[in-house]
Amino acid sequence: MIFNTNFEEQILNLFDEFHLPKEFFSFIWIILSILTLILGVTIGVLVLVWLERKISAGIQQRIGPEYAGPLGIIQALADGTKLLLKEDIIPSRGDTWLFHIGPAIVVIPVFLSYLVIPFGHHIILTDLSIGVFFWIAICSIVPLGLLMAGYGSNNKYSFLGGLRAAAQSISYEIPLALCVLSISLQLSNSLSTVDIVETQSKYGFWGWNLWRQPIGFIAFFIASLAECERLPFDLPEAEEELVAGYQTEYSGIKFGLFYVASYLNLLASSLFVTILYLGGWHSPVSFVSISDHSNSIFSNGTGQVVDIIVGIFITLAKAYFFLFISIMTRWTLPRVRIDQLLDLGWKFLLPIALGNLLLTASFQVFSL
């Protein structure tokens, strides 16, 4: 995780006092950064599950979870513990290796996508020069895990569900990538997530890419919902199916991993919407940078801490506002058919995203 260099130098001096090698410091720093990121993302997913249950209960005039902890805040944790303790049933004639590997292939790439997400100024695990392409490339592995899960179950309905899920993911990954190209290559001239946020730092609220890319924002929003298999696009495991798609034969924690991957992907998509279109950690109302303002009030060290906290808060506030819209969409719109889903992806979103890319490139050429 990237922090201020003065902070790292202070820790290095502390290690020198205890006569510890710098390589040991680098190893400990990497492990702590990874564990902090995993813990933060896990808490974020638990909050998202609780919010979805409460918001859906409010829409349907129900109470929602309220007994597991205050206001039911540990209901998701209780459900995860229950799935962890349940018996793991394996189909007798299924492919055991594919059956076990499938859920891991679905979850691990989504976790890796958080490596390039900046939560604040210098709060990123690794600032890659191809950050957004890394996210698209790593998430394209997920359909392989869905196919493995469906094929390894030795159930033709599960296999059909895996094929439908893979077809849906592939159909909407291309418009998603085209929308990202419009932002990164034309407006920001960089594939780094940090650079994309920094190009939106001027003019506050009016500097966001949302106003320069309204068509791309709508296409990205629809494609991200379909990529996460959220209503109205949750065809692979829809309720009208007699089986639950590719996860029919799964039980216990392996069954829960598919839902964990879905919520992880939804949270990552919301964070990338914040990075690409909503200015990241920059405040929408201030034309002065947060770091300058905090350092003018507090001392240098305290100002950096305030800058980090405020930046993380702004990023999460924007991301959870997008999540609120996604949850409202789930409980408002009816589910579409599989043919309508594929038609929307290939016949509408793909031409719109491609036209938006060409239009953005044309404006860039004429501006030169």
Side-chain angles (χ1 to χ4, degrees), residues 256-323:
L257 284 178
F258 289 110
Y259 287 97
V260 170
S262 176
Y263 282 104
L264 280 172
N265 204 1
L266 182 60
L267 181 59
S269 299
S270 302
L271 288 167
F272 271 101
V273 168
T274 302
I275 294 165
L276 296 174
Y277 295 98
L278 303 181
W281 63 83
H282 292 289
S283 174
V285 295
S286 177
F287 292 91
V288 182
S289 66
I290 300 172
S291 58
D292 295 340
H293 186 65
S294 59
N295 288 335
S296 64
I297 298 176
F298 304 102
S299 61
N300 191 25
T302 309
Q304 291 177 3
V305 173
V306 172
D307 184 19
I308 290 172
I309 295 174
V310 173
I312 294 175
F313 175 78
I314 291 175
T315 302
L316 294 180
K318 293 176 181 177
Y320 274 94
F321 175 74
F322 180 80
L323 289 172

Side-chain angles (χ1 to χ4, degrees), residues 115 131 144 152 166 174 181 227 360 363:
L115 296 176
L144 295 177
I174 301 175
L181 276 175
E227 185 76 13
T360 306
F363 278 123

Side-chain angles (χ1 to χ4, degrees), residues 56-72:
S56 62
I59 293 174
Q60 299 175 349
Q61 296 182 348
R62 297 184 288 108
I63 298 175
E66 62 173 347
Y67 295 109
L71 299 176

Side-chain angles (χ1 to χ4, degrees), residues 18 36 44 73 101 111 115-116 131 133 138 149 172 186 221-222 230-231 242 285 327 360 365:
F18 288 99
T36 303
I73 57 176
I101 293 174
F111 260 118
L115 296 176
V116 296
F133 269 11
I138 204 72
Y172 286 88
Q186 302 298 332
F221 173 70
I222 298 173
R230 298 280 299 180
L231 261 162
L242 295 179
V285 295
I327 294 171
T360 306
V365 170

Side-chain angles (χ1 to χ4, degrees), residues 29-105:
W29 186 255
I30 291 173
I31 295 298
L32 287 177
S33 301
I34 293 174
L35 291 178
T36 303
L37 180 63
I38 293 176
L39 180 61
V41 169
T42 304
I43 294 175
V45 169
L46 293 177
V47 173
L48 173 58
V49 174
W50 177 80
L51 277 177
E52 178 155 32
R53 288 177 167 175
K54 278 296 185 180
I55 293 172
S56 62
I59 293 174
Q60 299 175 349
Q61 296 182 348
R62 297 184 288 108
I63 298 175
E66 62 173 347
Y67 295 109
L71 299 176
I73 57 176
I74 61 172
Q75 183 64 54
L77 188 61
D79 292 339
T81 305
K82 180 185 70 175
L83 289 173
L84 191 62
L85 298 176
K86 278 185 173 292
E87 182 182 2
D88 184 19
I89 301 175
I90 303 173
S92 58
R93 298 184 179 181
D95 192 315
T96 306
W97 280 102
L98 293 181
F99 189 81
H100 287 302
I101 293 174
I105 297 295

Side-chain angles (χ1 to χ4, degrees), residues 126-169:
T126 174
D127 183 15
L128 297 178
S129 58
I130 53 169
V132 287
F133 269 11
F134 175 80
W135 170 55
I136 294 173
I138 204 72
C139 287
S140 62
I141 303 175
V142 173
L144 295 177
L146 302 179
L147 283 175
M148 288 180 182
Y151 183 78
S153 300
N154 193 27
N155 182 334
K156 60 182 178 181
Y157 298 107
S158 297
F159 184 52
L160 287 174
L163 289 174
R164 293 171 71 174
Q168 176 175 332
S169 297

